[in-house]
Amino acid sequence: MSRGIFITMEGPDGSGKTTQIERLSEYLKENGYDVIITREPGGTRISEKIRDIILNKDYTEMDPMTELMLYASARAQLVNELIGPGLEAGKAVISDRFVDSSVVYQGIARGLGIETVYSVNSHAIGKYMPNVTFLLDLPAEEGIRRKKKQAELDRMERESLDFHRKVAEGYRELSSRDPKRIQKIDATLPIDEICDIIKDKVKSIIE
């Protein structure tokens, strides 16, 4: 394989991305791919340090533009150190979030503007955009309910319900802008059914 496949998983907090990423990874391995799984923010030593700053619940005074720049910085390191080399080596890269998250969280929910986010991140992502993005669509109230059952909430998860509603709606807006790449899936469906939908789409790409 001369070029790999880049798949991202997006959605509000609690939408079940981790489970679907694990199942998709196994499916791709069965189809002959070496698989890299990563996450945003994070995925590299430097990016994980930036993640600690972004999600620290004590940094409530963080400015939205600072937040945007930190996400872009973590993303630039991840692309150059892991995603880019992996794709060029013909591997399958699955990322839990990518630039779409910044478009939604900082561009829409924070009000910085979609074009601002794309402009800042154009230098971070270079030529690498996902072949397909799976959006696990979930009502904000349900997402927060699920997260509260799992662990202590981080700085982003502690935002108001109104903020999380803007995030959920922002994702829907983004999927309507780019329906060919962004595949919206009802995250309240049974896990196995979601998995089958994802596999069917990926199958059509790798074949």
Side-chain angles (χ1 to χ4, degrees), residues 6-18:
F6 186 17
I7 301 168
T8 55
M9 203 74 67
E10 294 280 357
D13 294 313
S15 56
K17 300 187 305 301
T18 301

PDB file of all heavy atoms in Angstrom, residues 6-18:
ATOM      1  N   PHE A   6      -6.911   7.523   6.489  1.00  0.00           N
ATOM      2  CA  PHE A   6      -7.031   8.378   7.672  1.00  0.00           C
ATOM      3  C   PHE A   6      -8.508   8.487   8.045  1.00  0.00           C
ATOM      4  O   PHE A   6      -9.322   8.997   7.272  1.00  0.00           O
ATOM      5  CB  PHE A   6      -6.435   9.752   7.361  1.00  0.00           C
ATOM      6  CG  PHE A   6      -6.356  10.694   8.535  1.00  0.00           C
ATOM      7  CD1 PHE A   6      -6.451  10.245   9.843  1.00  0.00           C
ATOM      8  CD2 PHE A   6      -6.167  12.053   8.328  1.00  0.00           C
ATOM      9  CE1 PHE A   6      -6.364  11.111  10.916  1.00  0.00           C
ATOM     10  CE2 PHE A   6      -6.089  12.936   9.391  1.00  0.00           C
ATOM     11  CZ  PHE A   6      -6.178  12.462  10.687  1.00  0.00           C
ATOM     12  N   ILE A   7      -8.841   7.987   9.237  1.00  0.00           N
ATOM     13  CA  ILE A   7     -10.219   7.971   9.715  1.00  0.00           C
ATOM     14  C   ILE A   7     -10.290   8.707  11.050  1.00  0.00           C
ATOM     15  O   ILE A   7      -9.467   8.463  11.936  1.00  0.00           O
ATOM     16  CB  ILE A   7     -10.726   6.529   9.900  1.00  0.00           C
ATOM     17  CG1 ILE A   7     -10.646   5.762   8.577  1.00  0.00           C
ATOM     18  CG2 ILE A   7     -12.154   6.513  10.436  1.00  0.00           C
ATOM     19  CD1 ILE A   7     -10.846   4.268   8.730  1.00  0.00           C
ATOM     20  N   THR A   8     -11.258   9.610  11.177  1.00  0.00           N
ATOM     21  CA  THR A   8     -11.434  10.283  12.452  1.00  0.00           C
ATOM     22  C   THR A   8     -12.806   9.992  13.026  1.00  0.00           C
ATOM     23  O   THR A   8     -13.765   9.762  12.290  1.00  0.00           O
ATOM     24  CB  THR A   8     -11.230  11.807  12.327  1.00  0.00           C
ATOM     25  OG1 THR A   8     -12.107  12.325  11.321  1.00  0.00           O
ATOM     26  CG2 THR A   8      -9.797  12.121  11.953  1.00  0.00           C
ATOM     27  N   MET A   9     -12.872  10.012  14.346  1.00  0.00           N
ATOM     28  CA  MET A   9     -14.114   9.781  15.071  1.00  0.00           C
ATOM     29  C   MET A   9     -14.431  11.047  15.861  1.00  0.00           C
ATOM     30  O   MET A   9     -13.610  11.506  16.663  1.00  0.00           O
ATOM     31  CB  MET A   9     -13.972   8.594  16.014  1.00  0.00           C
ATOM     32  CG  MET A   9     -15.259   7.918  16.403  1.00  0.00           C
ATOM     33  SD  MET A   9     -15.989   6.893  15.076  1.00  0.00           S
ATOM     34  CE  MET A   9     -14.778   5.573  14.923  1.00  0.00           C
ATOM     35  N   GLU A  10     -15.601  11.613  15.596  1.00  0.00           N
ATOM     36  CA  GLU A  10     -15.991  12.859  16.251  1.00  0.00           C
ATOM     37  C   GLU A  10     -17.320  12.690  16.968  1.00  0.00           C
ATOM     38  O   GLU A  10     -18.061  11.736  16.715  1.00  0.00           O
ATOM     39  CB  GLU A  10     -16.120  13.985  15.221  1.00  0.00           C
ATOM     40  CG  GLU A  10     -14.820  14.385  14.538  1.00  0.00           C
ATOM     41  CD  GLU A  10     -13.952  15.302  15.374  1.00  0.00           C
ATOM     42  OE1 GLU A  10     -14.372  15.687  16.497  1.00  0.00           O
ATOM     43  OE2 GLU A  10     -12.847  15.654  14.923  1.00  0.00           O
ATOM     44  N   GLY A  11     -17.627  13.635  17.832  1.00  0.00           N
ATOM     45  CA  GLY A  11     -18.899  13.630  18.532  1.00  0.00           C
ATOM     46  C   GLY A  11     -18.777  14.275  19.888  1.00  0.00           C
ATOM     47  O   GLY A  11     -17.672  14.464  20.408  1.00  0.00           O
ATOM     48  N   PRO A  12     -19.907  14.630  20.486  1.00  0.00           N
ATOM     49  CA  PRO A  12     -19.891  15.221  21.825  1.00  0.00           C
ATOM     50  C   PRO A  12     -19.310  14.250  22.838  1.00  0.00           C
ATOM     51  O   PRO A  12     -19.212  13.047  22.597  1.00  0.00           O
ATOM     52  CB  PRO A  12     -21.380  15.488  22.109  1.00  0.00           C
ATOM     53  CG  PRO A  12     -22.048  15.468  20.780  1.00  0.00           C
ATOM     54  CD  PRO A  12     -21.274  14.507  19.946  1.00  0.00           C
ATOM     55  N   ASP A  13     -18.924  14.776  23.988  1.00  0.00           N
ATOM     56  CA  ASP A  13     -18.424  13.924  25.064  1.00  0.00           C
ATOM     57  C   ASP A  13     -19.473  12.875  25.424  1.00  0.00           C
ATOM     58  O   ASP A  13     -20.663  13.169  25.519  1.00  0.00           O
ATOM     59  CB  ASP A  13     -18.105  14.777  26.302  1.00  0.00           C
ATOM     60  CG  ASP A  13     -16.947  15.728  26.055  1.00  0.00           C
ATOM     61  OD1 ASP A  13     -15.929  15.261  25.523  1.00  0.00           O
ATOM     62  OD2 ASP A  13     -17.070  16.919  26.388  1.00  0.00           O
ATOM     63  N   GLY A  14     -19.008  11.631  25.604  1.00  0.00           N
ATOM     64  CA  GLY A  14     -19.909  10.553  25.994  1.00  0.00           C
ATOM     65  C   GLY A  14     -20.600   9.852  24.849  1.00  0.00           C
ATOM     66  O   GLY A  14     -21.480   9.024  25.071  1.00  0.00           O
ATOM     67  N   SER A  15     -20.189  10.158  23.615  1.00  0.00           N
ATOM     68  CA  SER A  15     -20.901   9.604  22.459  1.00  0.00           C
ATOM     69  C   SER A  15     -20.476   8.189  22.076  1.00  0.00           C
ATOM     70  O   SER A  15     -21.062   7.583  21.175  1.00  0.00           O
ATOM     71  CB  SER A  15     -20.751  10.529  21.245  1.00  0.00           C
ATOM     72  OG  SER A  15     -19.390  10.754  20.945  1.00  0.00           O
ATOM     73  N   GLY A  16     -19.447   7.663  22.737  1.00  0.00           N
ATOM     74  CA  GLY A  16     -19.052   6.273  22.487  1.00  0.00           C
ATOM     75  C   GLY A  16     -17.946   6.100  21.466  1.00  0.00           C
ATOM     76  O   GLY A  16     -17.808   5.014  20.873  1.00  0.00           O
ATOM     77  N   LYS A  17     -17.137   7.113  21.258  1.00  0.00           N
ATOM     78  CA  LYS A  17     -16.082   7.047  20.249  1.00  0.00           C
ATOM     79  C   LYS A  17     -15.056   5.949  20.539  1.00  0.00           C
ATOM     80  O   LYS A  17     -14.618   5.245  19.641  1.00  0.00           O
ATOM     81  CB  LYS A  17     -15.369   8.404  20.135  1.00  0.00           C
ATOM     82  CG  LYS A  17     -16.252   9.557  19.736  1.00  0.00           C
ATOM     83  CD  LYS A  17     -15.471  10.829  19.465  1.00  0.00           C
ATOM     84  CE  LYS A  17     -14.595  11.282  20.587  1.00  0.00           C
ATOM     85  NZ  LYS A  17     -15.334  11.551  21.863  1.00  0.00           N
ATOM     86  N   THR A  18     -14.667   5.824  21.801  1.00  0.00           N
ATOM     87  CA  THR A  18     -13.610   4.877  22.162  1.00  0.00           C
ATOM     88  C   THR A  18     -13.971   3.447  21.768  1.00  0.00           C
ATOM     89  O   THR A  18     -13.153   2.723  21.190  1.00  0.00           O
ATOM     90  CB  THR A  18     -13.325   4.945  23.674  1.00  0.00           C
ATOM     91  OG1 THR A  18     -12.936   6.277  24.026  1.00  0.00           O
ATOM     92  CG2 THR A  18     -12.211   3.979  24.055  1.00  0.00           C
TER      93      THR A  18
END
